[in-house]
Amino acid sequence: MKNKIPYPTSSNTMLAAVVTFLLLATIITMGMLTPLIAKLTTGIELSLEPEYFNDRTAIPVAILILILSTGMLVGYADRKYIYPIVGASAALSIVFTVFSPFGNMPMDISLPILIVALMATFYRIFKTYSNNKNATASANIKKLSAHVIHIGIILILLGIILSSNMKTESSAVLGTGQTGSFEGQHYQLKINSMDSYYSGEAFRNNPASSYTTEIDFDIYKNGNYFKSGQINYITDFKWGQTYTTTYINRGLTEELFIAPRAIDESKGEIDLYMRTVPFINCLWGGMYLMVIGIIALLVTDRKTDTKSGISGISNKTNEGRYDHMLEQEIEKRRAKRAKGKR
């Protein structure tokens, strides 16, 4: 007799998720402890780059997302279709890896399974409410909050993968009154002015404790005016260091980051660094959704516990009342028997 693959259930799906999560936690913990062990045993300072963790956690995270998709479909879709749906997303991920439609391996691998997981979560929400139309508002919120947490997790993963693999970094040297482009960017910068001044109390041979250069600029997006901004290049004589302020614009679809790298006042030039990070809001949005879902889940659980407590007190009160009535009835019968014997 051939062994059949068991149908997915809530229990075996949860078991698979826990085992995969423990494997993922073990890999991360080993990576974090490796530099410490190397330091204690050999005295060598060891630093592990993000790629170390990315390469080793990619497969467990992909499996965890596939299990999440399975869990969303269990009980709400025909069991014989669950494995083919989840398997198709994994197969599509392999096809994308081979043909690389995005030209980036992490995106090619992750996007198919993340999109299917997101669709499975929305399907679960739809089926939950269509099958429980008469449920109380508190019960609906409790069920919805758990799925909001799932959506938040998926958006966080999407934000990390998309932003880290699609960000663009470049630099350019610009002079006052000059407009320049940055390689690979759709933004251009025009330096309007560079004003320098001393600030703070006199320090040693310097007329002040710090020297600041303010750089005002206009930002153009695809040749059209976008926004204006300002950054500072500060030399602190008291502490013997130089630091800068940065410009950050968080838009709906991307984040723009601008920072000065070096400045040459004699030539009126500044070396600027620009970074564009698309889809970073998926990360922040996922975090906010997770917080909202957790708070909603805690609030509804507390209300449920309160109602259960009140119900318990009410039941105990009723039981005590019935016991008292029973004792009174027994006393009456005993009194009648006592009279009859006399």
Side-chain angles (χ1 to χ4, degrees), residues 138-150 289-305:
S138 179
N140 285 333
I141 293 174
K142 184 175 181 179
K143 292 178 181 179
L144 178 62
S145 59
H147 300 319
V148 167
I149 295 173
H150 293 150
L289 284 178
M290 280 191 63
V291 172
I292 292 171
I294 292 171
I295 292 174
L297 192 61
L298 292 175
V299 170
T300 51
D301 278 344
R302 185 172 181 180
K303 287 183 178 179
T304 303
D305 293 340

Side-chain angles (χ1 to χ4, degrees), residues 33-51:
L33 292 178
T34 298
L36 177 61
I37 295 173
K39 175 68 176 178
L40 294 176
T41 56
T42 64
I44 299 175
E45 293 283 352
L46 183 64
S47 177
L48 299 179
E49 298 295 328
E51 288 75 14

Side-chain angles (χ1 to χ4, degrees), residues 20-39:
T20 308
F21 188 80
L22 288 175
L23 174 63
L24 183 62
T26 302
I27 294 172
I28 295 173
T29 303
M30 290 177 62
M32 295 174 64
L33 292 178
T34 298
L36 177 61
I37 295 173
K39 175 68 176 178

Side-chain angles (χ1 to χ4, degrees), residues 213-279:
T213 301
E214 290 184 352
I215 301 97
D216 292 311
F217 54 86
D218 291 332
I219 306 171
Y220 294 84
K221 186 175 183 180
N222 297 321
N224 300 316
Y225 174 78
F226 179 62
K227 283 189 175 181
S228 297
Q230 183 186 88
I231 50 178
N232 296 332
Y233 193 93
I234 304 168
T235 301
D236 194 310
F237 303 120
K238 186 175 182 180
W239 299 105
Q241 61 182 3
T242 299
Y243 57 94
T244 65
T245 61
T246 59
Y247 173 86
I248 301 176
N249 179 72
R250 293 186 175 92
L252 183 62
T253 58
E254 64 184 6
E255 178 184 277
L256 174 63
F257 177 87
I258 301 172
R261 299 173 60 185
I263 190 170
D264 188 341
E265 282 194 81
S266 61
K267 296 182 179 180
E269 293 179 342
I270 183 168
D271 186 356
L272 291 170
Y273 165 82
M274 178 183 289
R275 181 178 68 227
T276 306
V277 187
F279 299 106

Side-chain angles (χ1 to χ4, degrees), residues 51-286:
E51 288 75 14
Y52 173 89
F53 295 94
N54 294 339
D55 295 340
R56 287 160 178 78
T57 59
I59 293 178
V61 170
I63 294 173
L64 201 59
I65 297 301
L66 291 173
I67 295 172
L68 173 61
S69 300
T70 305
M72 291 295 101
L73 296 174
V74 168
Y76 292 87
D78 195 323
R79 291 191 300 177
K80 65 182 180 181
Y81 296 130
I82 295 178
Y83 282 145
I85 292 172
V86 177
S89 67
L92 186 62
S93 177
I94 295 173
V95 172
F96 275 33
T97 304
V98 174
F99 293 98
S100 189
F102 300 106
N104 184 283
M105 184 173 291
M107 291 176 59
D108 293 329
I109 295 173
S110 58
L111 284 183
I113 58 177
L114 284 172
I115 291 173
V116 171
L118 194 61
M119 293 173 63
T121 306
F122 283 121
Y123 174 79
R124 177 70 173 263
I125 294 173
F126 171 74
K127 295 295 289 185
T128 299
Y129 282 91
S130 61
N131 296 339
N132 300 279
K133 294 181 179 179
N134 297 325
T136 62
S138 179
N140 285 333
I141 293 174
K142 184 175 181 179
K143 292 178 181 179
L144 178 62
S145 59
H147 300 319
V148 167
I149 295 173
H150 293 150
I151 295 174
I153 293 172
I154 296 172
L155 287 179
I156 289 173
L157 291 174
L158 273 172
I160 292 173
I161 293 168
L162 292 175
S163 62
S164 60
N165 290 282
M166 295 180 68
K167 68 180 180 181
T168 306
E169 300 175 291
S170 52
S171 61
V173 177
L174 301 177
T176 306
Q178 181 181 355
T179 301
S181 301
F182 293 75
E183 184 179 356
Q185 304 277 8
H186 52 271
Y187 292 99
Q188 301 83 39
L189 250 63
K190 178 184 178 182
I191 305 299
N192 295 324
S193 63
M194 293 173 56
D195 298 322
S196 302
Y197 57 87
Y198 289 97
S199 60
E201 298 179 356
F203 179 74
R204 294 181 181 175
N205 297 327
N206 300 295
S209 59
S210 64
Y211 183 75
T212 302
T213 301
E214 290 184 352
I215 301 97
D216 292 311
F217 54 86
D218 291 332
I219 306 171
Y220 294 84
K221 186 175 183 180
N222 297 321
N224 300 316
Y225 174 78
F226 179 62
K227 283 189 175 181
S228 297
Q230 183 186 88
I231 50 178
N232 296 332
Y233 193 93
I234 304 168
T235 301
D236 194 310
F237 303 120
K238 186 175 182 180
W239 299 105
Q241 61 182 3
T242 299
Y243 57 94
T244 65
T245 61
T246 59
Y247 173 86
I248 301 176
N249 179 72
R250 293 186 175 92
L252 183 62
T253 58
E254 64 184 6
E255 178 184 277
L256 174 63
F257 177 87
I258 301 172
R261 299 173 60 185
I263 190 170
D264 188 341
E265 282 194 81
S266 61
K267 296 182 179 180
E269 293 179 342
I270 183 168
D271 186 356
L272 291 170
Y273 165 82
M274 178 183 289
R275 181 178 68 227
T276 306
V277 187
F279 299 106
I280 190 66
N281 284 340
C282 286
L283 175 62
W284 304 122

